[in-house]
Amino acid sequence: RREQRLAHASAAVQNEDKSIADKEVAITSQTKDWVGADDSDEGDGPPIERHASNTFERREQRLAHASAAVQNEDKSIADKEVAITSQTKDWVGADDSDEGDGPPIERHASNTFERREQRLA
């Protein structure tokens, strides 16, 4: 058995020196695409490959949009300056929407919270 392995190994080493060359092929230039050729990648293959292709295309679109956004970053729109006026009192006639609305348990919780806040203040 050992001799057989050694014989196979030595034969393999001797055959390594013999390289198999490729056949010479003539190349002709093509001036136009095939007339009736359809893109074989479109719609063929298992659903997992179509999903992977669609995911890749969406990722490329997101990257293209992000790249365009980064390039347009210099053209940012500034915030508008607005004047701020101070208010000295609450709105007159404005009803607090929380007063009296909701189920009794919420009113009870609100009242309890208000009493606690007054106690702590």
Side-chain angles (χ1 to χ4, degrees), residues 3 13 22 48-49 53 58-59 68 85 92 105-106:
E3 287 82 21
V13 169
D22 292 333
I48 189 76
E49 288 181 10
S53 296
R58 288 193 305 265
R59 179 178 180 270
T85 59
V92 178
I105 189 76
E106 288 183 9

Side-chain angles (χ1 to χ4, degrees), residues 96-111:
D96 189 2
S97 62
D98 293 338
E99 295 290 325
D101 292 341
I105 189 76
E106 288 183 9
R107 285 194 306 265
H108 174 71
S110 296
N111 292 337

Side-chain angles (χ1 to χ4, degrees), residues 43-95:
D44 292 344
I48 189 76
E49 288 181 10
R50 286 193 306 262
H51 173 71
S53 296
N54 291 337
T55 304
F56 177 78
E57 289 173 11
R58 288 193 305 265
R59 179 178 180 270
E60 289 297 316
Q61 288 175 353
R62 284 193 310 270
L63 289 174
H65 289 299
S67 174
V70 167
Q71 290 175 356
N72 290 335
E73 194 172 88
D74 296 335
K75 302 174 186 176
S76 63
I77 300 174
D79 293 334
K80 183 178 179 181
E81 293 293 328
V82 295
I84 299 175
T85 59
S86 62
Q87 189 72 20
T88 58
K89 60 180 180 175
D90 290 336
W91 289 1
V92 178
D95 293 331

Side-chain angles (χ1 to χ4, degrees), residues 21-32:
D22 292 333
K23 183 179 176 183
E24 291 293 325
V25 179
I27 299 174
T28 58
S29 63
Q30 188 72 19
T31 57
K32 60 181 181 176

